[in-house]
Structures are given as structure tokens and as C-alpha cells.
Amino acid sequence: MYTYLRRLHGLLSSFRVLLEITWLKLEPVVVQQPPGGGGSPQEDEGAEWSEESQVPVKVLHAHSADVTAARFCCSDRSILSCSLDGSAILWDVDSGRPLRLFAGVHSRTVTECALIPNNNRMVTVSWDRKMVAWDLETGRVLWETELDGLLTSCSCSSDGRLLVCAAEPQDTVYVCGASGGQTLHRISNHHSSTITRVRFDPPDQRVASVSADRTIKLWDLQAKRTTMSICSNHSNVISSCCFNGNGHFLCTASWDKTLKLWDLQGGQFRSNGGAALQRSHEGSVSCCVLSADADLLVSGSYDRTVALWDPSSLRRTLVLRGHSDWVTDVSLSADRKLVVSSSKDGSVRLWDVQNVEQIPEVMQIKSGEGTGVQILKCEECGRPFPVSRLLTSDLLTRCVFCRLKAPPTFRLQPPPSPCPSPLIGGERSDV
């Protein structure tokens, strides 16, 4: 009798899942719909904005297990998410409704998904060793390829020509063609432990990877070798990384509960390391995303929160609460008005952050910056010091105490000439 009841329960569960999948597949696809089109907001039957947190939020439910990743796509009109349940879902931002289910190919957790720009395609990678490309409009599989190892992360170049993914336990990075998944480069033993995230830099010249071995590596696509290897000084696994729009800055997130900013162009990190953001999370940091202009950073954590940061002052400005389990991924819309987060609680949350400046908590933090003062990190002693926002880090890189200790570099002017040139003069120090 017990065995019979268990079998009946299993059949009912399978039938329920089948009904959910069938309903999702019948949903229309509107990825090509122009802004402002479609039905009125009153007709939407999806998620509604809620004031349960400090900002309006929509809670999106359709996955049957942990959601592993979520990101904006299709000019920020849609969201892509993937899950432990082996599926990916395309959502409509305006209504909060699922538009398309991508399922039936992966047999294990889909660890990450990435949009292939310019052609309405996306790619998913999984612990089943498969990388699969999908058509967003039809849900059809375009190609699939099986690689060596469990695939932990993926990213697409900004021109849509190349894909990169990481494999475990070989600690290998694959660079593949986006048109058919053919392997172009296989970088074996790239790290000494699990590679947690891979990303193309915005110029598509290098592939950045971070790992449980606590290092950051940049592999040059032209030179076909690692051109930069950074010991991060994180005290635990580096869980994620992200670039800003021009690749000037890289941010790393770690299980040591901190985030660090790396000025790859300035190069000060070579002697001082990355700049650590203040007032870190209470739990391991799992994900991060930088705005294109590097003026806003968003992070997610195992403490179940999403945090907003001001990178110029290295300060946290707002904490968003609502998830009931680990936050696994975050993404930021191009206009910086919306944040999407995914969680182990099985939900995707869409946060409206366009009016965060009016929140008292944010106003109080920003009040210290209204005087035109920013906080920089001294390249010599590593201590933070205030400086006018009219000056840049190129002019001032050391605190006043380190500058006072340094020998003067001012040189006397040469004797005056009959026709003084504006180019003649002393060479000013950084005082």
C-alpha cells in the first residue's frame, strides 16, 4: 500500500509539472515588441509592484528549484533566469510574466546563462557538461556541444562572436565560437582550483577569470597567453567578478564577505592591491555587477540581501531585503533604474531603484558627499583620505602624511629670459 501511494504521489507531481510547462510554452513571445506597446498595465496578470522593502519590488515565481542566475536582456525589456531545475525562463519586465520556458535539454543544474548580442539568442551551461544555444523567439535549440567537465560559468563577447566558459574539475577555460559552439581555445589548468566566474572585458581583448584559489587572471585573446595574474589578498574563495563599461575597473566578490575594486588601467593595485569597499556584507558575497560608468555597484550575498554601493567613496548606500535564502546573482539595467536578483529561495526579484536618492538612509550617507569631497586610498600607506572631487586620483594618490614625509621635488625656475615662455617653470610635486 505504501509503495502504491508513493507511486501515485510521483505521478501527480509529474502531471502538475507537465501542466506548468505546457502553460509556459503557450505564453506569447514579445521580445520584439517596441517600448510602450502591448496591453495596458491594468490587464497584466503577472507580478505587481510591492512596497514590502524600501523600494518597489516585483517577485517572480515559475522555477521549481533554486534560481542560479538572472540578467536583463532585449534592451532591458526582458529578464533571463536559469535554475537548479535544469531550465531557463524568459520574463517580461513590465508584467512580470514568464514568456518562454527553455527546458528538456539539460539533465542537471543550469549554472549560468548569457545573451548573445544582436541576434536574439542565448546560451546556457550546465553541470551536465553541455553548452546549449537557444533561439529566444521560438525556444528552439540552435546547437549544443559537450565539453570536458562540469560547466560553472559562461559569458559572451560584446560583438556576439565569442563565448567563454569554465569547466570543473579540470580548472579549464574554453573559448568557443558563438555561431556553432566550436572550440577555438582550450586553456588547461588555468587555475589551481575551481573557476567560479569568467568574463570578457568590454573591448573583447581579454578573458578575466576568478577562482577558489583566490587569484584573478586575464588571458589575452591575441597573444593567446595569460598576461596578468593577480593575487587578490581575499582570504577566501573569489565567487564573482565584473567589469565596468570600458574595462577600466574590475570588481571582485568573495566568500570572505568583501568586495574589492581594481583599477586595471591605473595599475596602483600592483603595489597596494584592490580597494576594499567599506561596511561589507554579513555573509559571503556571491555576485556583483558594475554600471557602465562605474558610478553604481550592486552585490548579492548569502546573508540574503542585495546591496547598492557608491564606488567613488567605496561606501554602501542601501541594503535591499526580501529574499528568504542566499542571493545567487544580480544584474543592473542600462539606465540604472532597475536591479534584478535571483535566489536559492526559488524566486527572481525585480527592484525599482530609480528613486533611491530620496530614501532617508541614502540621503544621510550622501550628505557627507554633498560638500564635494570624495574618499581615496593612499597608494603608499593604504589609508583612506579625503580629497576634493575637483581633483582626480591622477593628481593626488597619497595622503597628506605620506606626502609630507617624501622629499620635495620642486625645482627652482631658470633665470628669466627676455621672452618668457609659459612652458618654462618649476615641476610641481603632488603636494
Side-chain angles (χ1 to χ4, degrees):
M1 184 67 175
Y2 176 73
T3 303
Y4 171 77
L5 290 174
R6 286 189 60 187
R7 288 179 179 175
L8 180 60
H9 180 269
L11 287 172
L12 290 174
S13 299
S14 300
F15 182 69
R16 179 180 60 83
V17 172
L18 181 61
L19 285 177
E20 291 177 355
I21 292 175
T22 303
W23 175 78
L24 286 168
K25 285 183 176 179
L26 292 175
E27 288 299 315
V29 176
V30 294
V31 291
Q32 295 291 348
Q33 179 181 330
S40 64
Q42 288 79 11
E43 296 174 353
D44 290 333
E45 298 178 0
E48 299 290 339
W49 290 112
S50 168
E51 297 292 343
E52 65 178 85
S53 63
Q54 296 187 77
V55 301
V57 59
K58 288 180 180 179
V59 185
L60 315 180
H61 287 287
H63 286 292
S64 60
D66 310 8
V67 186
T68 52
R71 47 219 44 179
F72 287 101
C73 65
C74 306
S75 302
D76 296 338
R77 299 195 305 273
S78 304
I79 296 168
L80 274 174
S81 65
C82 54
S83 169
L84 196 73
D85 62 16
S87 73
I89 292 177
L90 181 71
W91 306 81
D92 176 58
V93 165
D94 289 338
S95 67
R97 298 178 66 182
L99 299 173
R100 177 71 63 186
L101 176 73
F102 306 87
V105 177
H106 290 295
S107 59
R108 299 185 65 184
T109 297
V110 178
T111 50
E112 196 166 12
C113 54
L115 181 73
I116 302 177
N118 309 321
N119 59 10
N120 283 331
R121 298 179 178 184
M122 68 120 172
V123 65
T124 53
V125 293
S126 169
W127 287 349
D128 64 7
R129 305 171 183 257
K130 291 180 183 178
M131 178 165 57
V132 181
W134 309 76
D135 187 304
L136 287 180
E137 293 186 20
T138 64
R140 185 170 59 91
V141 173
L142 301 173
W143 54 260
E144 61 180 273
T145 184
E146 188 166 327
L147 302 170
D148 295 332
L150 313 182
L151 305 185
T152 58
S153 179
C154 67
S155 178
C156 186
S157 60
S158 59
D159 60 9
R161 295 189 307 108
L162 299 175
L163 296 168
V164 62
C165 64
E168 161 72 16
Q170 293 85 355
D171 309 320
T172 298
V173 171
Y174 290 91
V175 179
C176 303
S179 59
Q182 65 277 17
T183 299
L184 304 177
H185 306 289
R186 185 180 187 272
I187 312 162
S188 301
N189 302 314
H190 193 47
H191 286 269
S192 61
S193 189
T194 300
I195 300 172
T196 54
R197 194 75 80 203
V198 285
R199 289 291 181 265
F200 283 100
D201 69 349
D204 296 334
Q205 296 174 349
R206 297 179 294 184
V207 171
S209 57
V210 294
S211 165
D213 65 12
R214 296 177 285 177
T215 64
I216 307 162
K217 294 194 176 185
L218 281 86
W219 194 82
D220 191 285
L221 290 165
Q222 296 297 323
K224 297 180 177 56
R225 64 184 180 88
T226 301
T227 54
M228 189 177 297
S229 184
I230 305 170
C231 181
S232 68
N233 290 326
H234 279 295
S235 61
N236 208 328
V237 171
I238 304 178
S239 54
S240 186
C241 67
C242 60
F243 286 99
N244 73 315
N246 61 10
H248 189 144
F249 292 100
L250 176 75
C251 180
T252 54
S254 172
W255 288 2
D256 65 8
K257 306 180 183 180
T258 68
L259 295 121
K260 290 187 178 183
L261 275 175
W262 306 82
D263 184 346
L264 299 181
Q265 183 170 317
Q268 291 91 344
F269 67 88
R270 297 181 186 276
S271 55
N272 302 310
L277 277 71
Q278 304 169 24
R279 298 172 61 200
S280 58
H281 282 279
E282 295 178 2
S284 299
V285 188
S286 55
C287 48
C288 58
V289 61
L290 261 174
S291 63
D293 57 10
D295 279 347
L296 177 61
L297 171 68
V298 182
S299 62
S301 169
Y302 290 174
D303 63 12
R304 301 176 293 181
T305 67
V306 174
L308 276 58
W309 307 79
D310 177 10
S312 65
S313 63
L314 305 178
R315 300 180 68 180
R316 187 177 65 197
T317 56
L318 185 65
V319 178
L320 304 175
R321 295 179 172 85
H323 282 295
S324 59
D325 212 327
W326 299 350
V327 177
T328 55
D329 196 19
V330 287
S331 182
L332 182 65
S333 63
D335 60 9
R336 297 169 32 182
K337 293 181 179 180
L338 297 173
V339 170
V340 65
S341 59
S342 60
S343 171
K344 198 172 180 291
D345 64 14
S347 74
V348 174
R349 286 183 175 247
L350 182 63
W351 314 83
D352 182 350
V353 297
Q354 61 180 320
N355 296 317
V356 294
E357 302 290 337
Q358 301 173 15
I359 297 175
E361 178 185 341
V362 178
M363 293 174 65
Q364 183 178 0
I365 293 173
K366 291 285 187 180
S367 63
E369 303 169 11
T371 55
V373 173
Q374 62 178 325
I375 306 299
L376 300 179
K377 182 178 180 181
C378 176
E379 67 174 16
E380 187 170 322
C381 68
R383 296 189 182 94
F385 66 97
V387 62
S388 170
R389 289 184 181 274
L390 298 177
L391 300 176
T392 67
S393 57
D394 294 327
L395 298 176
L396 284 177
T397 59
R398 295 180 296 167
C399 67
V400 64
F401 302 104
C402 292
R403 283 182 276 134
L404 287 173
K405 290 189 300 182
T409 58
F410 186 83
R411 293 200 296 265
L412 293 175
Q413 295 184 0
S417 61
C419 298
S421 168
L423 298 178
I424 298 177
E427 183 177 314
R428 188 175 179 179
S429 71
D430 59 350
V431 178

